[in-house]
Each structure stands twice: as C-alpha cells, then as structure tokens.
C-alpha cells in the first residue's frame, strides 16, 4: 500500500497578487523568468516579466499596451531570440522582443474580433519545418501565420459560404515530425473539434463532444500524432488516441468527468507526455496519468484497424482559489515547475514533486 506522501504533491511555492486581470502566463524558455499578460481595469493591455529569486517573484519589467492581451506563445521563436507572440482583444497578432517590448517586431491585424487562442511550432527546437503561428478567433476563423511573411496568412480555415460561424476557443499544433507534415486542431463553442491537415490543406477529421471546447492539446507537437486531450465546459475532458484513425468511427477516446465546473486548460508535462494537468473553473488543479491499453489497435468486424482507448488515473488534485484558473504553463527546463494564473488576479508558481516515480 503506497502512502499519500509517495504520490506527487502540488505545492504553491509563490503567490503574487496583481492589480489587473490575467489571461495568460508563460515561462520564458531557458530562464527562471515568466511573462504575465492581461488587462487593466481601464481597458488597456499589460505585459509583465517576473523573475523567480529566493522564493519571490520579482517584477523586472512592465509595459502597458493599447488593447487587452488574451493569449501568448513562444512556440515559433528561436531559443536565441525568445520572442513572444500574442493575440489581443482587437484581433491583432503581435510578436515582441522582451528585451525591448515597447514596439512589436511583427504586427498584423489577424482577425476581425478577439484572438481567443494562439499556438506556435517550429521554434525552440520543437517540430521540424518552418516556424508558424496559428490563431483562433471569435470571428470563426483559424489562421496560420509565418512570422517571416508579412500581412497575409499562410492558410485560412473558415466556414464555407452559408455555414454559421462558430466561436473558435482553442487551437493547437501537432504532428510536426518532419518537414512536410503538420496538423492544427481547433475547438469551438458548440463542441466541434476539427483536425486540419496542413500538408494536404484538408479537414482530416471532425467530431463533436456536446459541450463548448475550452482547450485542446497534443501530448507532443513534434511526433507522429499520439494523443489529444480536449477539455469542455461541463467539467469533462476527452483523451483521443490519435495513432489509429478508423474510416467511420474516427479516433478512439476515453472521457473523464473530473471537475464540477469548466475545465479551462490542459497542459502536458514536457518531460513526460503521459502526465498532464487540468485547470478548473472552481480554482482547482488535477494531475493525471494516461495508461495505455495492452494493445492500441484491433480489427473491427470488417477487418479494418480501429483504435483502443486507454484509461486515466488521478495522481493528485489541489484547490488553490475560489476563482477559475484560466492559464497554466509547465517550465520546459525544470521538471515539475509550473506557473498558473486565475481570475482572482493572482499568479502562482507551483512545484509538483515526485513526477519521476509515477
């Protein structure tokens, strides 16, 4: 019988109260610094850089922006530059050099409405091929951007004429395991999940999980698609096994109702793709481990391969706040270090222990 202490523990290492609403927080790669982004009550945007020193988060830099900032990614930058790409409430995609964050190094009016979600690939040594950024917006479109190409997107995935535009809440890159292949997954307010194949510029797969899709993430961006987690409004999440696609049944999945309210975020541990954390609307975090089945595929009655879903085990959970935790980011460099922020205007640095023994 294992004692409770042999399980991973989620420890709130640093808590910092802020004077604005935080929408996203991200570790700066290869550093002990993180960026916190959001909006002041007066309606302007804010970007802050903190450094973790001696158990404190020290504010290093603060810049005010004209528009509130909703989301950010380092996924398309090099480790040398470490430029952050952000999406704001006015539909702008900006890329900032954090050494001189006053003026963007790249700026484009990406969408007609708020940029809800952003992801990057091809940077930080993760994912083969060119650096690219994907944005998803309330205007119903998902757009692909090359930071080296100004003004116009590389691809625009939008509803065909006559189709209703759904609010796109979340986007994520995956399948970037060689120079040609790459996929984008998008989740919408009506429960739709769409998988776009960027190599063939086609819709590869779609499904509906009956509830608004708050967050989607592949367990790794830079491998042949392995798993995809999608979280939803009603406290449920789904794990899809992306290795075997059946012509009619699609991908096998397992679902778990973990939180009593919306699951805002899911983030896989960079050092172990089978461990992930979900962040909930009641201020709680749940740490999960995915267990693979004995065999990941089987033949159906027509002798066609179909996937077999595994199971998820809860490793640990903790309640940090009474308000939703809306962003979560694992440190890419230090296993178990993570930054999260919520609508209680607090940013927290957490330490998750014993991740190497689960």
């Amino acid at each position: 019988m294992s004692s409770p202490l042999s399980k991973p523990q989620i420890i709130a290492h640093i808590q910092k109260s802020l004077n604005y609403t935080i929408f996203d927080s991200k570790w700066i790669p290869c550093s002990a610094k993180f960026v916190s982004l959001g909006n002041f009550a007066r309606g302007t945007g804010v970007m802050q850089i903190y450094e973790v020193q001696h158990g404190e988060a020290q504010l290093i830099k603060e810049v005010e922006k004209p528009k509130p900032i909703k989301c950010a990614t380092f996924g398309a930058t090099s480790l040398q530059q470490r430029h952050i790409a952000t999406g704001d409430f006015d539909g702008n995609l900006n890329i900032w050099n954090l050494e001189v964050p006053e003026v963007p190094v790249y700026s484009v009016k990406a969408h007609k409405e708020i940029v809800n979600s952003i992801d990057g690939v091809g940077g930080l040594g993760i994912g083969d091929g060119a650096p690219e950024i994907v944005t998803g917006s309330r205007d119903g479109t998902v757009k692909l951007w090359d930071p080296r190409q100004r003004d116009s997107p590389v691809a625009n995935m939008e509803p065909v004429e006559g189709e209703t535009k759904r609010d796109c809440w979340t986007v994520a890159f995956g399948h970037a395991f060689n120079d040609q292949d790459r996929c984008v997954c998008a989740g919408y307010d009506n429960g739709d999940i769409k998988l776009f194949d960027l190599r063939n510029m086609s819709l590869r797969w779609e499904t509906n999980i009956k509830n608004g899709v708050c967050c989607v993430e592949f367990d790794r961006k830079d491998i042949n698609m392995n798993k995809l987690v999608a979280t939803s409004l009603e406290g449920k999440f789904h794990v899809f096994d992306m290795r075997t696609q059946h012509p009619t049944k699609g991908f096998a999945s397992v679902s778990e109702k973990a939180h009593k309210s919306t699951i805002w975020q899911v983030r896989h541990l960079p050092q172990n793709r089978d461990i992930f954390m979900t962040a909930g609307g009641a201020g709680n975090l749940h740490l999960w481990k995915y267990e693979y089945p004995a065999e990941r595929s089987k033949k159906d009655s027509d002798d066609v391969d179909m996937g077999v879903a595994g199971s998820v085990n809860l490793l640990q959970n903790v309640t940090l706040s009474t308000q939703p935790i809306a962003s979560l980011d694992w440190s890419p460099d230090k296993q178990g270090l993570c930054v999260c922020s919520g609508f209680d205007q607090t940013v927290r640095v957490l330490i998750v222990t014993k991740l190497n023994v689960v």
Side-chain angles (χ1 to χ4, degrees):
M1 177 113 173
S2 64
S3 75
L5 289 175
S6 65
K7 287 164 55 172
Q9 303 297 314
I10 302 170
I11 300 157
H13 178 52
I14 299 167
Q15 299 197 57
K16 187 93 178 170
S17 290
L18 306 176
N19 63 339
Y20 61 91
T21 302
I22 320 164
F23 290 116
D24 209 352
S25 44
K26 289 278 183 279
W27 285 104
I28 302 175
C30 302
S31 78
K33 301 186 184 84
F34 61 87
V35 186
S36 180
L37 309 146
N39 78 307
F40 285 123
R42 55 182 169 268
T44 55
V46 57
M47 183 187 302
Q48 289 184 328
I49 302 171
Y50 286 92
E51 182 161 21
V52 176
Q53 292 176 332
H54 313 297
E56 298 278 321
Q58 307 283 352
L59 179 63
I60 293 175
K61 196 169 278 189
E62 176 177 310
V63 199
E64 192 168 355
K65 298 295 172 195
K67 300 293 176 191
I69 301 170
K70 177 67 171 71
C71 49
T73 181
F74 282 102
T77 186
S78 68
L79 282 171
Q80 290 74 34
Q81 290 183 316
R82 293 186 289 181
H83 291 173
I84 191 167
T86 62
D88 71 19
F89 274 51
D90 207 32
N92 300 303
L93 163 62
N94 292 308
I95 301 179
W96 312 91
N97 177 354
L98 293 175
E99 301 293 324
V100 277
E102 287 71 28
V103 181
V105 294
Y106 174 98
S107 185
V108 65
K109 174 79 170 160
H111 295 275
K112 296 189 189 79
E113 296 182 65
I114 181 174
V115 180
N116 284 324
S117 181
I118 190 168
D119 196 18
V121 75
L124 309 178
I126 298 170
D128 286 352
E132 284 181 327
I133 293 165
V134 63
T135 53
S137 165
R138 185 185 291 161
D139 68 13
T141 63
V142 174
K143 293 183 182 177
L144 191 68
W145 307 89
D146 185 330
R148 304 164 305 178
Q149 178 183 314
R150 301 269 164 183
D151 303 329
S152 59
V154 179
N156 180 3
M157 291 146 276
E158 60 183 339
V160 293
E161 203 68 39
E163 262 190 2
T164 51
K165 281 187 160 67
R166 303 304 318 198
D167 190 343
C168 177
W169 283 352
T170 175
V171 288
F173 275 114
H175 204 52
F177 65 99
N178 61 28
D179 286 355
Q180 288 85 38
D181 284 285
R182 202 167 271 187
C183 283
V184 163
C185 187
Y188 299 83
D189 66 340
N190 63 339
D192 280 349
I193 297 173
K194 295 179 189 287
L195 183 68
F196 300 103
D197 186 330
L198 301 181
R199 182 176 185 171
N200 303 321
M201 285 299 168
S202 63
L203 179 65
R204 178 166 168 178
W205 168 73
E206 61 182 327
T207 190
N208 186 287
I209 61 168
K210 309 283 193 294
N211 265 306
V213 185
C214 301
C215 187
V216 291
E217 192 184 55
F218 289 95
D219 58 356
R220 287 285 178 274
K221 294 178 192 180
D222 57 345
I223 58 171
N224 193 350
M225 280 190 301
N226 186 49
K227 297 195 304 294
L228 174 81
V229 176
T231 73
S232 74
L233 285 179
E234 297 286 319
K236 205 174 198 185
F237 68 85
H238 302 254
V239 186
F240 295 90
D241 187 309
M242 306 297 285
R243 279 289 154 92
T244 311
Q245 184 174 1
H246 188 272
T248 55
K249 295 190 174 84
F251 297 104
S253 70
V254 57
S255 65
E256 185 79 36
K257 188 165 169 61
H259 302 244
K260 289 188 173 65
S261 56
T262 299
I263 306 181
W264 284 76
Q265 286 279 343
V266 57
R267 289 289 175 258
H268 289 83
L269 186 68
Q271 296 83 6
N272 183 343
R273 68 186 186 198
D274 299 327
I275 293 174
F276 58 94
M277 185 112 84
T278 54
N284 42 30
L285 294 174
H286 286 61
L287 184 70
W288 305 90
K289 182 161 194 232
Y290 183 83
E291 303 286 350
Y292 293 98
E295 293 192 3
R296 292 182 65 179
S297 68
K298 63 180 182 186
K299 301 285 187 190
D300 69 3
S301 54
D302 299 323
D303 208 34
V304 178
D305 281 340
M306 60 187 288
V308 178
S311 58
V312 283
N313 293 334
L314 181 65
L315 298 177
Q316 191 56 271
N317 64 301
V318 66
T319 301
L320 297 173
S321 167
T322 54
Q323 298 292 316
I325 293 171
S327 88
L328 175 73
D329 192 43
W330 292 104
S331 165
D333 309 301
K334 191 104 179 113
Q335 178 170 292
L337 189 62
C338 114
V339 62
C340 69
S341 55
F343 292 149
D344 57 355
Q345 300 197 340
T346 304
V347 65
R348 293 173 173 84
V349 177
L350 311 176
I351 296 169
V352 184
T353 64
K354 296 194 169 63
L355 287 168
N356 52 347
V357 296
V358 295

